């Protein structure tokens, strides 16, 4: 069994805050993720949430300290996916609670409440809309697709977390 520590240090490199700031400034950084969550009526929403609980420490000596926000420890599956140009995700829920990190290109997610968020390299999304229910139009989960004419490369980290309801920004 492989154990993967989901550490913000991987994502923080994508968030591009300066390396020099770590050594010079003891103030934890502000980094955000998009949370695709479901309310008690089964409607999905997109909310911009901050990561919290940063600790400045080394991950492996003798490497220097870096800001870390350890969100979860446990089983996970890491998937690299390339969505072809003009990929159409249709309406669907996330298959598991999963972190999605765009590596190349831009994609979008539209939640059932109508919120559309475009994400590219440096953005992070937590997909957790498994508890959504079909609305009067037959929509459930979210609608996703690519922006522009290029393929989109994503890193997807599926976890063994149980989906929550009515908990936007679940990592508080």
């Amino acid at each position: 069994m492989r154990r993967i520590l989901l550490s913000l240090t991987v994502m923080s490199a994508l968030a591009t805050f300066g390396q020099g700031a770590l050594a010079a400034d003891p103030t934890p950084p502000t980094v955000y993720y998009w949370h695709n969550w479901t309310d008690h009526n089964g409607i999905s929403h997109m909310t911009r949430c901050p990561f919290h609980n940063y600790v400045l420490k080394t991950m492996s000596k003798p490497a220097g300290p870096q800001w870390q926000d350890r969100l979860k420890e446990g089983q996970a599956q890491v998937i690299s996916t390339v969505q072809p140009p003009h990929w159409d995700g249709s309406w669907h829920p996330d298959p598991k609670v999963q972190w999605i990190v765009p590596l190349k290109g831009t994609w979008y997610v539209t939640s059932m409440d109508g919120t559309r968020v475009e994400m590219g390299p440096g953005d992070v999304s937590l997909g957790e809309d498994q508890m959504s229910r079909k609305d009067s139009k037959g929509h459930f989960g979210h609608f996703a697709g690519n922006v522009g004419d290029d393929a989109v490369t994503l890193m997807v980290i599926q976890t063994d977390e149980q989906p929550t309801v009515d908990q936007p920004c679940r990592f508080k």
Side-chain angles (χ1 to χ4, degrees):
M1 175 185 355
R2 285 171 77 176
R3 291 196 165 268
I4 297 176
L5 292 176
L6 180 55
S7 172
L8 185 60
T9 54
V10 173
M11 292 180 273
S12 66
L14 295 172
T16 64
F17 55 85
Q19 295 175 348
L22 290 178
D25 186 357
T27 305
T30 301
V31 180
Y32 295 90
Y33 67 98
W34 286 99
H35 187 190
N36 182 12
W37 60 280
T38 304
D39 68 22
H40 62 278
N41 292 318
I43 304 299
S44 65
H45 305 270
M46 292 292 287
T47 301
R48 188 172 183 244
C49 306
F51 286 108
H52 298 282
N53 303 319
Y54 278 104
V55 176
L56 185 61
K57 65 180 189 175
T58 184
M59 286 187 71
S60 178
K61 291 184 179 186
Q66 53 190 318
W67 291 107
Q68 300 175 42
D69 185 355
R70 293 186 181 254
L71 305 174
K72 179 191 180 331
E73 182 177 348
Q75 290 186 330
Q77 181 172 1
V78 180
I79 303 166
S80 174
T81 181
V82 178
Q83 299 168 338
H86 308 287
W87 179 78
D88 175 353
S90 297
W91 284 98
H92 68 283
D94 289 300
K96 294 185 173 213
V97 175
Q98 60 188 17
W99 291 97
I100 306 162
V101 182
L103 301 175
K104 182 179 178 187
T106 302
W107 72 302
Y108 67 88
V109 172
T110 303
S111 57
M112 294 170 67
D113 68 3
T115 303
R116 177 183 159 128
V117 176
E118 293 186 4
M119 293 169 272
D123 291 318
V124 177
S125 175
L126 175 60
E128 186 180 20
D129 62 359
Q130 293 83 4
M131 305 304 287
S132 62
R133 296 189 297 266
K134 288 186 179 178
D135 64 11
S136 62
K137 298 176 186 174
H139 300 162
F140 69 107
H142 62 279
F143 191 96
N146 294 357
V147 176
D149 296 326
D150 296 324
V152 173
T153 303
L154 303 172
M155 180 67 64
V156 180
I157 304 162
Q158 293 182 333
T159 74
D160 60 356
E161 291 281 340
Q162 293 300 310
T164 62
V165 173
D166 283 331
Q167 290 188 31
C169 305
R170 77 182 286 189
F171 295 103
K172 297 179 180 181

